[in-house]
Each structure stands twice: as C-alpha cells, then as structure tokens.
Amino acid sequence: MILVTGGAGFIGGNFVLDWLATSDEPVINLDALTYAGNLETLASLAGDARHVFRRGDICDRALVDELLKTYCPRAIVHFAAESHVDRSIHGPGEFVRTNVEGTFTLLEAARAYWSALEGDEKAAFRFHHVSTDEVYGSLGPDDAPFTETHPYEPNSPYSASKAASDHLVRAWYHTYGMPVVTTNCSNNYGPYHFPEKLIPLMIVNALAGKPLPVYGDGKNVRDWLYVKDHCAAIRVVLQKGRLGETYNIGGWNEKPNIDIVHIVCALLDELRPDAAGSYSRLITYVKDRPGHDRRYAIDARKIERELGWRPAETFETGIRKTVEWYLANPEWVANVQSGSYRDWVAANYGDRDDSRAQVRA
Ligand code: NAD
Ligand code: DAU
C-alpha cells in the first residue's frame, strides 16, 4: 500500500480518488482535517476497504511511526501542507510548522522505517514530495519558463516554507541516501477545489451574485494545470522517476488572471445564464496581494522527455469540466462554506478597499 498525506485536500483528494480508480493498491490517508481538509471529497470511498483514513498531524512523530509500522507502505506521497498564499501572509507560523517541521518529521520517520527495510522492499521504497513552482520566485514577461535548475527565490511565507521543505528533502537524499523524488507543479484547478482559490472563488461568487475580486491590475500570470493531469504526472514519477531528481509539472497554459475570470464568466453565461446580464459585470478590482509574484511559467520538457508525461487536458476542456462540476455539486460547495470559511473572507478581503462590503456580502 501507499501512505498519502493530505489526502482530504484538493489535490490529495483527487489523487486518492484517481489512484483507487486506476489501481487496487490500498491507500492509508493521513490528514489533520484543517479548514482545507474535507472528507466529503472522499464520500464515494465510504465502505471501500482499500481506503484507510486516519485523522492526524504530520508533525506527530509517534503517529507517523505507528502508521508506518502498522501498514508497511511501499511509498509515501506527501501532499499535506498549508497551501494558500494569502493565508500565509496573515499567519505564517502555521506554514512553517506544517510545511517545514511536518516535512522534517515525515522525513525522519520515513528514514527510520526505510533503514530497517531489506532487499527488494528497501530498493523499492519511495518518498515523493509534492511541491510548487512558487519556490522559483517571479518571472518577467520575457523570461524563459522555470526549469528544474532555476534558482530558488521564494517571495511569500508559503513559498519560503515550501522551499525549505524541498531543501530538506534534497538533503535527506544527499546525506542519508533516502530514495526521494520531488515534483514542482504549477497552479492546479478542477473538482473539489476549495472556494477561496481564484477559479473556484470566481465560480462560487458569480453564482451567488457576489463581486469577483481581482487583485491589482489582474495581469499576474499563472500556468494552469487540470488537477487530474497533475495526479497522473505524480503516478508516473512515482513509478519511473529517477531518485534524487526534481521534475517540473505544468500545463503549458499561461494566462493572466483577468483572462481566467473572463473565461469563467463566459462559461457560466453559456451554462447558467443570469437574467441580470453577463457575470463579467461582477468583476471588481481590489487592493493587490503584498509581494504578489507577477508571473509563473513551467518548462515541463524534462518530465516529458524522461518519463513521457504530457497533460491530457487543454485549458478549454479542463475549465469546462471544472465549471460543469461546480454546477453539478452545489451541496459540496455549500457544506464547505462553513463558519471558518466566512471568517476567512472577512480577514482577507475586509481591508482591501471600498469593494469590501460587496465582497463580504
Ligand atoms: P489543500 O490546502 O487543498 O490541502 C492540504 C491538505 O493537507 C488538507 O486536507 C489539510 O487538512 C491537510 N493538512 C494541513 N496541515 C496538515 C498537518 N499538519 N498534518 C496533516 N494534514 C495536514 O492543498 P492542495 O492545493 O491540495 O495542495 C496539496 C499539495 O500540493 C501542497 O503541498 C501544495 O504545496 C502543493 N501544490 C499545490 C498546488 C495548487 O495549485 N493547489 C500547486 C502545486 C503544488
Ligand atoms: O503556483 C502553484 C501555487 O498555486 C500553489 O503552490 C498554491 O498552493 C496554490 O494556492 C496556488 O497559489 P496562487 O497564489 O497562484 O493561487 P490563488 O488561487 O490564491 O491565486 C491565483 C492568482 O489569482 C494569483 O495571482 C492571485 C489572484 N487572485 C486570487 C484570489 C484568491 C485574485 O486576483 N483574487 C482572489 O480573490
């Protein structure tokens, strides 16, 4: 079996669902169920003996030791993290704790476990660290996309904590010979995305007739990848990736935020027309994110050349599936919008500008 951390979050949840749809190899899923963890994402696995869920913290060494001893996984796929840049600006401490201390704890537990393995089991073991393109910092408009050798230049507490975790993983390979692989992926979108990140927030706010808050001039560029393509890439790297290597994963799909918002509005206009007019009337420019990285772009040629992975979805197909999924799953969204989520809206948008009253409404 494999041990997945953070498997009740957006990408981890999609990964667990896809893993069990394509393989019968069981999953032990360790997740603390923070505001971002949602077991409803995994509701279709209820009663499925191939999925064992354990609520707990990756910083809890005794718990991680117990899980490794009990389930003897052949691999750890490490998603668990604090993942939202805006939250890291409001409260960086939890990012250092989970992303740095948590990764350190997992690495140390994995090292003890792996050291005691023998023969084929030892040779087959993998620690797959899931990371982000944000560790590379920000690109200018004409800069070449990030390759795996791009210098680390993180600019937010989130990306700094992920960069630190990447360095720990690297060091555990070079110092202890731990069988690690790291993937650095661009912005994901798709089903089960928590509606405080750009794309799901725009869909959910538009449907509720609320403002669509665009930071700054809306021209920051991200490289968007459909989440199931990310999951497929991780499966390939886990299977065939070279130890100690890093692989960039991206969608070959750079777009300014404002274009993304217009595309979402156009799809909603088509699929759920609003008598009041196009949803784009709700676009509201708000104060920028501090330290807002201007552009990310991934050069994903290494993973294609070495492992044969390329994204299956174009942005056009992926975003249509995503909007359709949100339209078909209003209960999932409603249940996610708990009290703590409403508190976050007040904390993040409350002091941006005069549009706050509308954004909070
Ligand atoms: P998410 O915030 O949706 O989910 C994170 C999950 O980790 C949640 O289920 C949460 O409960 C769990 N978690 C948090 N702290 C924990 C702890 N201390 N112990 C155990 N579980 C804990 O995040 P996501 O968007 O699914 O991202 C998953 C991983 O992928 C992260 O490592 C992130 O850095 C990375 N990543 C995300 C993106 C993206 O676009 N979302 C892109 C590239 C890389
Ligand atoms: O690049 C990979 C990263 O992508 C991951 O490592 C992070 O975990 C993930 O959260 C994501 O980070 P971003 O900061 O790029 O994602 P977010 O959805 O928060 O924002 C995307 C862009 O949209 C960014 O330029 C900020 C902007 N934005 C975001 C929100 C929430 C807005 O304009 N308005 C908003 O309300």
Side-chain angles (χ1 to χ4, degrees):
M1 72 159 35
I2 61 167
L3 170 62
V4 168
T5 71
F10 164 48
I11 305 174
N14 275 286
F15 180 84
V16 169
L17 292 172
D18 287 4
W19 181 270
L20 293 174
T22 53
S23 137
D24 273 334
E25 186 174 14
V27 173
I28 167 82
N29 183 351
L30 171 61
D31 194 296
L33 296 182
T34 67
Y35 78 92
N38 184 355
L39 282 180
E40 281 194 37
T41 298
L42 303 169
S44 62
L45 297 177
D48 188 330
R50 299 173 305 161
H51 178 239
V52 179
F53 182 79
R54 185 68 174 267
R55 183 175 191 173
D57 193 327
I58 56 168
C59 298
D60 182 344
R61 173 70 192 264
L63 172 61
V64 178
D65 284 344
E66 179 214 314
L67 294 178
L68 292 173
K69 189 168 169 219
T70 306
Y71 295 102
C72 305
R74 71 166 175 95
I76 297 174
V77 188
H78 175 34
F79 294 94
E82 288 292 335
S83 73
H84 190 171
V85 174
D86 292 317
R87 284 186 187 256
S88 82
I89 295 165
H90 288 264
E94 198 55 29
F95 286 71
V96 173
R97 198 189 76 82
T98 285
N99 300 0
V100 185
E101 192 189 323
T103 301
F104 164 74
T105 306
L106 269 184
L107 279 169
E108 279 295 79
R111 184 164 73 92
Y113 169 73
W114 166 76
S115 299
L117 294 176
E118 288 176 356
D120 290 349
E121 284 189 343
K122 185 164 191 172
F125 185 75
R126 294 287 180 277
F127 186 102
H128 186 131
H129 178 57
V130 179
S131 192
T132 171
D133 60 359
E134 300 204 10
V135 297
Y136 299 125
S138 186
L139 291 170
D142 300 321
D143 291 342
F146 300 128
T147 64
E148 288 78 0
T149 55
H150 193 281
Y152 270 42
E153 292 172 342
N155 294 317
S156 72
Y158 163 68
S159 53
S161 67
K162 290 296 290 188
S165 69
D166 292 10
H167 291 324
L168 292 175
V169 173
R170 176 190 163 91
W172 262 238
Y173 171 74
H174 284 281
T175 303
Y176 304 113
M178 278 268 295
V180 306
V181 279
T182 295
T183 47
N184 294 86
C185 189
S186 62
N187 284 62
N188 285 216
Y189 67 98
Y192 306 109
H193 204 179
F194 196 80
E196 67 181 25
K197 303 283 178 80
L198 180 73
I199 288 180
L201 181 75
M202 295 299 141
I203 298 171
V204 167
N205 273 18
L207 291 173
K210 291 183 183 172
L212 309 180
V214 174
Y215 296 167
D217 64 3
K219 294 193 178 142
N220 300 68
V221 172
R222 298 291 183 264
D223 173 357
W224 294 93
L225 179 69
Y226 191 62
V227 63
K228 288 174 184 301
D229 276 328
H230 187 187
C231 297
I234 291 172
R235 292 198 300 273
V236 169
V237 172
L238 192 57
Q239 192 191 350
K240 301 194 283 191
R242 286 188 292 135
L243 295 185
E245 290 292 316
T246 64
Y247 293 91
N248 282 355
I249 303 173
W252 298 107
N253 177 55
E254 284 183 61
K255 285 200 178 358
N257 294 335
I258 189 64
D259 290 10
I260 296 286
V261 178
H262 278 295
I263 290 168
V264 167
C265 289
L267 273 169
L268 287 172
D269 288 343
E270 176 196 328
L271 298 169
R272 184 69 59 83
D274 183 349
S278 171
Y279 291 99
S280 57
R281 74 186 189 283
L282 299 169
I283 291 173
T284 307
Y285 287 90
V286 299
K287 192 169 144 194
D288 210 353
R289 169 188 281 173
H292 195 176
D293 286 337
R294 192 64 174 167
R295 173 177 167 239
Y296 304 141
I298 280 278
D299 181 336
R301 284 179 296 178
K302 178 178 174 183
I303 187 172
E304 178 168 5
R305 193 174 58 242
E306 289 192 10
L307 309 179
W309 176 89
R310 257 191 87 83
E313 300 287 345
T314 63
F315 190 69
E316 288 65 33
T317 57
I319 192 69
R320 180 173 287 274
K321 284 182 185 174
T322 303
V323 172
E324 286 173 348
W325 186 88
Y326 278 89
L327 289 173
N329 290 277
E331 306 82 20
W332 184 90
V333 174
N335 292 342
V336 158
Q337 290 179 310
S338 65
S340 63
Y341 174 65
R342 283 194 296 275
D343 291 347
W344 163 249
V345 173
N348 189 47
Y349 298 99
D351 61 357
R352 282 191 189 263
D353 68 8
D354 287 344
S355 65
R356 64 184 180 275
Q358 299 168 21
V359 174
R360 294 170 71 181

